[in-house]
Amino acid sequence: MAALARASGISYLLFPELGALASVVFADPLSSWARSPKLLALTPVLTAVPGVLLTRTLPYGPTALILDLAICLLVIRLLRSPVIPAISAGVLPLVLGITSFLYPVAILVGTGGLALIVMLRSRLMPPPARAQVSPLEPTISTMVAPKSWLERVPWLLPLAVFLLGALVMVQLLGSHLVLYPPLLVIAWEMLAHADECPWQGRFFAVLAVTAGAAVAGIALVLALGVSPLAAFLAVLVTALLLRLARLRCAPAFGLALLPFVIPAPTLAYPLLTLAGTAWLLLVVKLDQILKIRFCNPQ
């Protein structure tokens, strides 16, 4: 995809979350993404279109961001799609100011090609059945019994706090990259899917790997340009970081590839993304502490 993006001049063909999607479907043929190739191809496209429309009609700010995020979640909900990285596809136009409708077309080329590979692989090499495993330990969300409408969506308040703080940081630091699109995917998984999030509780590992992926991505783009070699090395370094940390955090690939679509990226990129990630992890940790305290009052 990097070669195609360079040849065509359409950088969006290297959609950052495409690396995350590919890393999961290739590594795990039984993953929900690999078992839903049509949704894998279409969900990011159907969130990308309203993302472009909002970018063309509204300036970047709380209204546009919240509306964009709400539409993305609604699309995912209506489709019953497991492809959560589609959130990133919907928010990326707003963050980078993308107003061209070539963007969703480019997304379709990438996700469609990935879905085609998945379908061909499933026909040639049918995956084995996966045994169901029941959870052995209670989690924070299972310890809290719902008592009100707010507790039916326990992610709503911490998500609102996270977005509000992140938007303040965007203003203070002067860059939309503080609230980089893969961060919203990380936030959604940690807050709304706390029981299933594979990197839940690995705060320092998440911080280190995402920071390392951001450094690798920007360093390779500045050194080698937007080239297939640079993209390959960015993905390789990120995969090595995840392996060393024994962490499963697919959005880290999005961080490594995001500099490939940023106009004139600078060395400030890792620091800006680090600030956003640190703020999210702080909000998640405080949310967990408060839930445990309310669940077990002294």
Side-chain angles (χ1 to χ4, degrees):
M1 291 306 297
L4 186 59
R6 186 173 186 178
S8 65
I10 305 174
S11 61
Y12 315 132
L13 285 169
L14 193 60
F15 167 49
E17 287 291 352
L18 191 61
L21 293 171
S23 70
V24 172
V25 299
F26 290 149
D28 186 3
L30 294 173
S31 66
S32 59
W33 298 351
R35 288 184 285 109
S36 308
K38 292 181 181 179
L39 292 175
L40 179 66
L42 293 177
T43 311
V45 179
L46 295 179
T47 57
V49 172
V52 171
L53 288 172
L54 284 171
T55 305
R56 293 169 70 99
T57 56
L58 292 175
Y60 183 92
T63 301
L65 181 64
I66 292 172
L67 186 57
D68 199 352
L69 180 59
I71 292 174
C72 290
L73 295 177
L74 180 61
V75 168
I76 292 171
R77 175 77 174 182
L78 290 176
L79 294 175
R80 296 182 180 179
S81 174
V83 188
I84 303 301
I87 295 173
S88 182
V91 176
L92 186 64
L94 195 61
V95 172
L96 298 185
I98 300 171
T99 57
S100 172
F101 284 106
L102 282 176
Y103 171 71
V105 175
I107 298 296
L108 180 59
V109 171
T111 57
L114 182 60
L116 181 60
I117 293 172
V118 169
M119 289 188 289
L120 289 175
R121 183 185 62 179
S122 66
R123 291 187 178 184
L124 296 174
M125 297 180 293
R130 169 179 287 170
Q132 293 186 352
V133 180
S134 58
L136 300 178
E137 298 181 1
T139 59
I140 290 174
S141 62
T142 59
M143 293 167 58
V144 183
K147 298 178 181 178
S148 67
W149 71 270
L150 184 58
E151 289 176 324
R152 294 176 186 175
V153 282
W155 47 265
L156 185 59
L157 183 57
L159 181 62
V161 172
F162 161 66
L163 290 176
L164 178 62
L167 285 168
V168 171
M169 293 174 68
V170 165
Q171 294 299 318
L172 292 176
L173 298 177
S175 175
H176 299 167
L177 292 175
V178 173
L179 195 52
Y180 59 94
L183 184 61
L184 290 170
V185 179
I186 298 173
W188 180 253
E189 294 287 4
M190 296 189 79
L191 294 173
H193 298 154
D195 295 349
E196 305 167 5
C197 180
W199 58 85
Q200 188 69 268
R202 302 287 310 280
F203 298 108
F204 290 109
V206 170
L207 198 63
V209 169
T210 52
V215 170
I218 189 64
L220 287 165
V221 167
L222 293 178
L224 303 176
V226 180
S227 64
L229 177 60
F232 170 76
L233 291 176
V235 170
L236 179 62
V237 170
T238 304
L240 289 174
L241 290 172
L242 289 168
R243 187 170 182 82
L244 288 173
R246 296 181 180 179
L247 186 69
R248 291 170 52 209
C249 184
F253 290 100
L255 262 165
L257 293 175
L258 186 56
F260 288 79
V261 298
I262 297 174
T266 68
L267 287 173
Y269 170 73
L271 297 176
L272 294 168
T273 57
L274 180 64
T277 306
W279 168 243
L280 168 64
L281 297 178
L282 177 61
V283 170
V284 172
K285 186 62 177 178
L286 291 176
D287 179 57
Q288 291 178 349
I289 292 172
L290 290 174
K291 284 180 179 177
I292 292 174
R293 286 187 178 179
F294 279 118
C295 181
N296 301 291
Q298 299 297 328

